[in-house]
Amino acid sequence: MKKLIALYVPAATLIGYIFLFAPLLVLVIYAFNAGRSTVVWEGFSLAWFAEALRDRGLRAGLQVSVIVAIASAALATMIGTSAALAVVKRPFAGKNLFSTLIIAPLVLPEIVLAVGLLVATVWTGVPLGYGTLIAGHVLVSIPFSFLIVRAAASGLDPRLDEAAADLGANGKQAFLRVTLPLLAPAILSAFLLCAVISFDNFVVSTFVSGVGSTPLPIQIYATLKSGLTPKINALGAMLIAVNVLVILVVMSRYLKTIRKQS
Amino acid sequence: MPPDITTEPAGVSRAAIELIDIRKAFGTGAETAYAVDRLNLTIKAGEFFTFLGPSGCGKTTTLRMIAGFEEPTSGRLLLDGRDVTGVPAHQRNVNTVFQSYALFPHLNVGENVGFGLSVKGVAKDEIRDRVKAALDSVHMTHAIDRKPSALSGGQQQRIALARALINRPSVLLLDEPFGALDLKLRREMQMEVKEMQRRLGITFIFVTHDQEEALTMSDRIAVMNNGVVQQVGGPVEIYERPANRFTAGFIGDMNLIEARITARNGDQFTLEAAGSRIDFPCTLPLQPGDACILAIRPEALHFVEGEAGGSVRFSGALGEAVYIGTDTVYALVLADGTRLHARVRNGDRPMPQAGAPATLACAPSAIRLLTQ
């Protein structure tokens, strides 16, 4: 019996990993396929990477996605950080309700949010485009920046604020010289995570992007309709590489702060 | 003619801090509790003043109100004669040494110590010189480029002191600063801080729950309990003449025995305490029938055999004996079950057996009569 359990745990782990990563692995492998098929291997080639980079539609989509990711991540991080600091450091009425509402987009069905946003834009007459796209992405990424910065801020010794005030620093000086530098790693992590979330977003983007502001995921989906070629695989492989890089940066920063605290 | 020692130098009698009818309430309505209640106190400039009491007695809240981290619910707070009630912490000329040190983890030692000068816009050259001097005074010049996390607790303590004192505050607040240090280092730091206070002449306000620390370091002590100051006085007065039951029980070991006045003849009282009749001279305004408490230090009691005149005597059966090196602490169980502890020097006589009848005695002058 004991032996069985000893075998079960690594086996289950292995199956889990295969389930998680096999599709990605297949996708990356076929990005290097010489033929047009995404299931039959016909030899090694980098042609599809060139093809993907040459595709005007995909390039335009990539540009939209990068701009929207940076803008929405910047806004979401600012709003999330302010909200987190308010919740951690200031007493105010309805704090629990406020916290719940700000992370609500996390648990609400995204499709409902998307439809709501579209209705709102129609009502207010705001034209669909970069503005609506960025607003939508800010909405879905605020919970993440809020949660990350709140966790870091509640880990700060509240005496540090008092020490700063005690030494003559006014609110602004204490924030710029003590709070902000100590939260910088968390704020950077929040920014990167929000950027990735925006970059990957599909549902909200589908509803609120306009002509000339189609982000990459939707562009890819449109390409799929006209036939699946390893071009998409090549693009996917590049996106995975960028995402992994971002995650590595975030993780290494995170590990560094953990090590410092211990 | 010898100098009049009761007259203090002009600078010493000036008030550094005046707390006028300070109250600090927590909660509202029927659940209102006072962390500090009707506190009236004047702390003189240059004084080493200690708030002493058990945790939750309001001593830290008082310190935090002086620092400006908390505002009193009512009452006024004067700093150097100026009303600072409602003035935010960063505009008060006081500095704090925190219990957890609260050094800025992202700044090195030099930047930590220079923080106060830097936010006030002092020139870089002057900051550098004063940081060096401040670190020198706590023997930490070598650590100027290190991060606080690379320092030991005692070293961090010194940095915290330097960081506060570099601002030349009129009052330095210390919130249980030695709580996290081991005994040997604590003694060392106590000596050093006391010496520093004498040298600088700055008013130090110290908070501790350690009565020994309070007695050894302070010029004056305020004993607090449940938000109320129980007694204010010098270490000798607090130890030898406790004003009430709480102070008597909190400072040092003390036998507290319930007693009742049975007769009075001028200043000569007769008391009934734990089944014993005691004749006792006293000037307190007490009448026969009044309840009171006898406070006797264990070291004031000794064993007697037979009749000895002029002393107060308690008879009972011997209970447990605890050997503590030079002395042994004996418990004597009195007729009504009260336990009386006596601290007796070893070696003078054979150890009495537990359960044997015995009599403890002390001089009437060693007994303190308390009414509350």
Side-chain angles (χ1 to χ4, degrees), chain B residues 15-22 41-43 65-66 72 75-86 92 94 170-171 205:
Chain B
I17 302 247
E18 284 166 83
L19 302 160
I20 301 162
D21 224 21
I22 296 270
L41 206 58
T42 300
I43 298 167
M65 286 192 286
I66 297 172
R76 290 191 308 139
L77 200 153
L78 269 55
L79 184 62
D80 284 332
R82 193 170 69 97
D83 192 335
V84 294
T85 324
R92 296 189 187 187
V94 297
S170 62
V171 175
I205 300 182

Side-chain angles (χ1 to χ4, degrees), chain A residues 5 14 20 23 28 34 49 66 89-90 94 104 120 131 151 165 188 217 226 240 250 258-259:
Chain A
I5 292 173
L14 188 68
L20 277 174
V28 172
F49 283 87
V66 167
K89 299 198 170 199
R90 305 250 174 254
L188 181 67
S226 61
I240 290 172
V250 173
I258 294 280
R259 217 174 303 133

Side-chain angles (χ1 to χ4, degrees), chain B residues 120-179:
Chain B
K120 281 174 207 108
V122 174
K124 282 215 165 63
D125 291 349
E126 191 190 337
I127 294 180
R128 205 186 49 229
D129 294 345
R130 280 173 68 179
V131 164
K132 273 199 186 123
L135 284 175
D136 207 33
S137 71
V138 294
H139 318 295
M140 288 298 295
T141 322
H142 61 278
I144 189 162
D145 291 323
R146 294 168 69 184
K147 284 279 171 72
S149 56
L151 304 176
S152 70
Q155 289 173 319
Q156 291 188 36
Q157 181 68 78
R158 287 160 193 273
I159 304 306
L161 262 171
R163 183 178 71 171
L165 287 170
I166 195 172
N167 305 292
R168 296 168 186 159
S170 62
V171 175
L172 184 74
L173 309 174
L174 302 106
D175 183 12
E176 306 227 13
F178 311 132

Side-chain angles (χ1 to χ4, degrees), chain B residues 40-294:
Chain B
N40 283 289
L41 206 58
T42 300
I43 298 167
K44 288 175 266 180
E47 197 171 26
F48 197 117
F49 192 93
T50 298
F51 287 98
L52 172 67
S55 54
C57 73
K59 57 191 194 295
T60 294
T61 306
T62 305
L63 196 81
R64 290 172 59 78
M65 286 192 286
I66 297 172
F69 303 143
E70 277 173 48
E71 280 303 320
T73 310
S74 64
R76 290 191 308 139
L77 200 153
L78 269 55
L79 184 62
D80 284 332
R82 193 170 69 97
D83 192 335
V84 294
T85 324
V87 173
H90 70 270
Q91 287 168 6
R92 296 189 187 187
N93 190 22
V94 297
N95 286 114
T96 307
V97 175
F98 292 85
Q99 186 173 12
S100 55
Y101 317 134
L103 298 175
F104 304 120
H106 60 299
L107 302 178
N108 68 27
V109 165
E111 290 163 337
N112 260 287
V113 175
F115 189 91
L117 300 180
S118 172
V119 294
K120 281 174 207 108
V122 174
K124 282 215 165 63
D125 291 349
E126 191 190 337
I127 294 180
R128 205 186 49 229
D129 294 345
R130 280 173 68 179
V131 164
K132 273 199 186 123
L135 284 175
D136 207 33
S137 71
V138 294
H139 318 295
M140 288 298 295
T141 322
H142 61 278
I144 189 162
D145 291 323
R146 294 168 69 184
K147 284 279 171 72
S149 56
L151 304 176
S152 70
Q155 289 173 319
Q156 291 188 36
Q157 181 68 78
R158 287 160 193 273
I159 304 306
L161 262 171
R163 183 178 71 171
L165 287 170
I166 195 172
N167 305 292
R168 296 168 186 159
S170 62
V171 175
L172 184 74
L173 309 174
L174 302 106
D175 183 12
E176 306 227 13
F178 311 132
L181 304 180
D182 63 62
L183 193 64
K184 188 170 170 290
L185 194 56
R186 181 189 300 215
R187 292 258 159 80
E188 241 175 78
M189 288 302 292
Q190 285 171 0
M191 300 294 285
E192 210 166 306
V193 164
K194 179 72 194 161
E195 207 282 316
M196 193 177 280
Q197 191 262 341
R198 266 194 212 116
R199 195 177 64 226
L200 297 172
I202 293 176
T203 313
F204 276 36
I205 300 182
F206 195 87
V207 158
T208 185
H209 64 270
D210 182 339
Q211 39 132 337
E212 196 183 319
E213 188 165 272
L215 291 173
T216 53
M217 297 183 77
S218 319
D219 295 324
R220 281 198 306 154
I221 299 167
V223 181
M224 286 186 84
N225 189 37
N226 289 332
V228 178
V229 169
Q230 307 289 320
Q231 186 173 3
V232 182
V236 175
E237 185 186 341
I238 295 277
Y239 187 82
E240 291 184 1
R241 294 185 294 280
N244 58 24
R245 186 193 184 112
F246 178 81
T247 308
F250 190 73
I251 312 285
D253 295 322
M254 184 74 91
N255 290 299
L256 295 169
I257 304 157
E258 305 285 346
R260 187 165 294 281
I261 314 274
T262 51
R264 174 175 183 173
N265 182 11
D267 282 347
Q268 198 61 38
F269 285 67
T270 304
L271 295 107
E272 167 86 26
S276 302
R277 210 190 80 127
I278 297 162
D279 292 317
F280 190 76
C282 177
T283 53
L284 290 172
L286 288 168
Q287 295 307 320
D290 287 352
C292 59
I293 298 154
L294 298 181

